[in-house]
Amino acid sequence: MVKTKGLEGVVATTSSVSSIVDDVLTYRGYSIDDLAEYTDFEEVIYLLWYGKLPSLKQLAAFRNELNENVSLPSELIAQLKSFPIKNIHPMAVLRTCVSALALYDKEADDTDDQANLRKAIRLQAKIPAIIAAYARICEGKEPIIPEVPLSFSANFLYMLKGSIPDQTSEAAFNKALVLHADHELNASTFTSRVCVATLSDMYSGITAAIGALKGPLHGGANERVMKMLSEIDGIDFVEPYLQRAFANKEKIMGFGHRVYKNGDPRAKHLREMSRLLTKVTGEGKWYNMSIKIEEIIRREKGLLPNVDFYSASVYHCLGIKHNLFTPIFAISRTSGWIAHILEQYENNRLIRPRAEYIGLKHQAYVPLAER
């Protein structure tokens, strides 16, 4: 048996959803650079699920379907209001609510192809509604369901803040969603595929993926990046902060990647968006600190920023609370999770790897009375 820690270097399956070859990320063969520059997130969702970019007519119909499925069951709203506000992470709330959504979906256990696509629409539409609703409830406000059709990006920001976002904010959030949509066989995507490979339902697969994304070594990294920036709080304090971290052998979040050797291709898009947003909002210190941190980490450790590093300052400048960074990652990555779940169902085989046993051997059983 071939064994490797963390399955590094192991090719576990074939997929046509996305690829990382020579540090180039593509969705269905389209460069992430082109998609980030030219597409709306709804187009990317359609591309990931259906394998092709939509026509104008197809995109309009797809947007309508998403908008029509935003509303949450009243019972789920009541459940959200019953949750404790203190000492609870929104990812735990999202994990619980996505699981609960299945209880209100009569097609939850229907694995027919068309039923799965209908559930995909419902999940993709309702996950941002859950996050925005809980965020508002925590502020003592009522959840909002948009009355006027908006883009997917604008819809979330409106549900979160109660006002239609400006074009710069909408474009920035849209680009972030596009960049985070899929990333080959990452931890949460693999988790979703392992789950549905048992022929469990889509809600279970997404719930499992959210559980994997919750960890700070995966989706939680951008939240930790913003925590670091807040602790530094000034460009003059960057060098001493990092030198202390190096001396204490602390991990600096937002740098390095298991797959990319010459840098994450998504980082440059978020770096530029961070520059623009921090300038517009008058919060240039976050960008300036980030640039300084990048220079020092590159010099001292030879590491380059990944997608999480600059997404932190982007979300901060959009006025998004820091504990929502990882749930927002889930909004985007749901599109990729669903694409992989659909692909797993299409050509399924139970995922069951082996483990090399390294424990004690030839143990003699001792009766309880004699121990």
Side-chain angles (χ1 to χ4, degrees), residues 94-115:
L94 181 62
R95 180 188 61 209
T96 300
C97 287
V98 169
S99 180
L101 273 179
L103 304 177
Y104 306 103
D105 190 337
K106 62 185 179 184
E107 294 186 300
D109 293 317
D110 189 343
T111 56
D112 175 77
D113 290 348
Q114 291 306 307

Side-chain angles (χ1 to χ4, degrees), residues 34 62 77 80 93 104-105 107 120 128 135 150 164 192 206 233 245 249 268 284 289 299 320-321 324-325 335 358:
D34 289 340
F62 190 63
I77 296 290
L80 279 166
V93 173
Y104 306 103
D105 190 337
E107 294 186 300
L150 301 169
I164 296 176
S192 72
I206 299 299
D233 200 35
K249 301 188 183 304
K268 61 181 179 289
M289 281 193 294
R299 181 190 74 211
I320 296 170
K321 290 190 174 181
L324 296 181
F325 288 6
S335 61
I358 59 170

Side-chain angles (χ1 to χ4, degrees), residues 234-256:
I235 196 164
D236 293 339
F237 306 114
V238 168
E239 181 90 40
Y241 180 96
L242 291 180
Q243 292 304 330
R244 283 195 302 272
F246 296 154
N248 295 327
K249 301 188 183 304
E250 296 172 11
K251 183 176 178 62
I252 306 298
M253 303 304 289
F255 285 88

